[in-house]
Amino acid sequence: MNRPEKRNALNGEMVDGLLTALDLVERDEEVRAVILKGEGKVFCSGADLEDIKKMEANGFEENLADSRHLKTLFYKIYTFPKVVIAQVHGHAVAGGCGLVAVCDFSFVVPSAFMGYTEVRIGFVPAMVLVFLLRKIGEGAAKSLLLGGELVAGEKAKELGLVNDVFETEELEGKVKAFAEGLVKQNSGQSLALTKEMIAKVQEMDLEEALDYAAHMNAKARGNEDCKRGIAAFLEKKSIEW
């Protein structure tokens, strides 16, 4: 994200840019994982309130179209067939914290504050709460969404919002090493299918979920990665994906 002068606030142009970038790397077989970063001192300050202010005269349908544009980005990241990692070097607020929550893994520096301040300005943390509830559960989510308070790195880790906290000078290297280790040790096909299952199975009842799981189990057995992986295991050979 490259709007440091606006604290990387999300406007229509930035959302388009992120969607375009994700489309490009989705088609690129060389790319196995994506690291989301922000330029400047702030990771992302959320929706561009100046843009929202300009839209005050808009009707409901225009506002709905703009909201759905942002929804497309969150949904794209959540269902993206490759792992997406947030490298949070600075504050992540409101929609910016939503990006942290929707990524598969998030790593943060101790000084970065995160949270959802929408209720403090008469707004609502609408789309971000859908993913936050899935990530950390209702109790912890309510404390953030209804309290409107910001939490620093270690507290965010305690709540389950981020995976780990690294010092500023370590963050870049730690995240890169994590991403490289992840894609070397794990099958890309398996990561994609597992991520797809996580997104879908939570909305199913037990029997439907198990039927779906059985279908995906059978589907995975026919994948080339599965055949390679099982053969390597049985032959006691190491495999690097």
Side-chain angles (χ1 to χ4, degrees), residues 162-173:
V162 302
N163 295 88
D164 213 340
V165 183
F166 298 120
E167 295 298 330
T168 301
E169 62 272 16
E170 295 181 310
L171 182 66
E172 182 94 21

Side-chain angles (χ1 to χ4, degrees), residues 122-201:
F123 199 35
V124 289
M127 281 166 288
V128 295
L129 73 79
V130 175
F131 300 103
L132 188 67
L133 284 166
R134 285 184 166 217
K135 187 156 198 166
I136 67 175
E138 184 175 332
K142 277 186 174 179
S143 70
L144 291 173
L145 298 168
L146 299 179
E149 295 181 1
L150 300 177
V151 296
E154 286 295 341
K155 182 63 175 179
K157 180 182 176 181
E158 181 185 321
L159 290 170
L161 180 59
V162 302
N163 295 88
D164 213 340
V165 183
F166 298 120
E167 295 298 330
T168 301
E169 62 272 16
E170 295 181 310
L171 182 66
E172 182 94 21
K174 291 284 190 180
V175 172
K176 184 178 180 182
F178 174 83
E180 289 178 346
L182 191 74
V183 300
K184 286 180 180 178
Q185 295 171 17
N186 301 297
S187 152
Q189 289 181 338
S190 296
L191 288 172
L193 287 175
T194 302
K195 186 172 175 180
E196 178 185 334
M197 292 178 69
I198 292 169
K200 290 183 177 180
V201 76

Side-chain angles (χ1 to χ4, degrees), residues 3-143:
R3 296 183 74 206
E5 73 286 356
K6 293 290 185 180
R7 299 182 301 169
N8 292 323
L10 294 165
N11 63 0
E13 185 178 352
M14 179 177 280
V15 172
D16 278 336
L18 289 170
L19 287 169
T20 298
L22 288 169
D23 284 340
L24 288 173
V25 296
E26 184 175 359
R27 295 192 295 268
D28 189 341
E29 294 183 2
E30 296 285 318
V31 176
R32 301 283 305 283
V34 177
I35 299 174
L36 180 62
K37 307 177 186 180
E39 283 290 336
K41 295 181 179 180
V42 174
F43 176 74
C44 179
S45 60
D48 192 324
L49 297 182
E50 290 184 3
D51 271 19
I52 292 178
K53 177 71 174 174
K54 294 174 184 176
M55 296 177 187
E56 285 182 349
N58 286 356
F60 173 79
E61 292 300 328
E62 292 171 298
N63 285 321
L64 180 60
D66 184 67
S67 296
R68 283 177 169 163
H69 189 212
L70 183 59
K71 180 211 79 170
T72 301
L73 174 62
F74 282 110
Y75 186 78
K76 178 82 169 177
I77 294 172
Y78 189 68
T79 60
F80 200 64
K82 302 176 184 183
V83 171
V84 184
I85 304 166
Q87 181 175 307
V88 188
H89 73 291
H91 304 326
V93 182
C97 196
L99 289 174
V100 175
V102 79
C103 286
D104 302 305
F105 298 94
S106 298
F107 300 97
V108 64
V109 297
S111 59
F113 280 91
M114 287 162 286
Y116 305 88
T117 55
E118 288 90 341
V119 294
R120 297 197 168 189
I121 61 168
F123 199 35
V124 289
M127 281 166 288
V128 295
L129 73 79
V130 175
F131 300 103
L132 188 67
L133 284 166
R134 285 184 166 217
K135 187 156 198 166
I136 67 175
E138 184 175 332
K142 277 186 174 179
S143 70

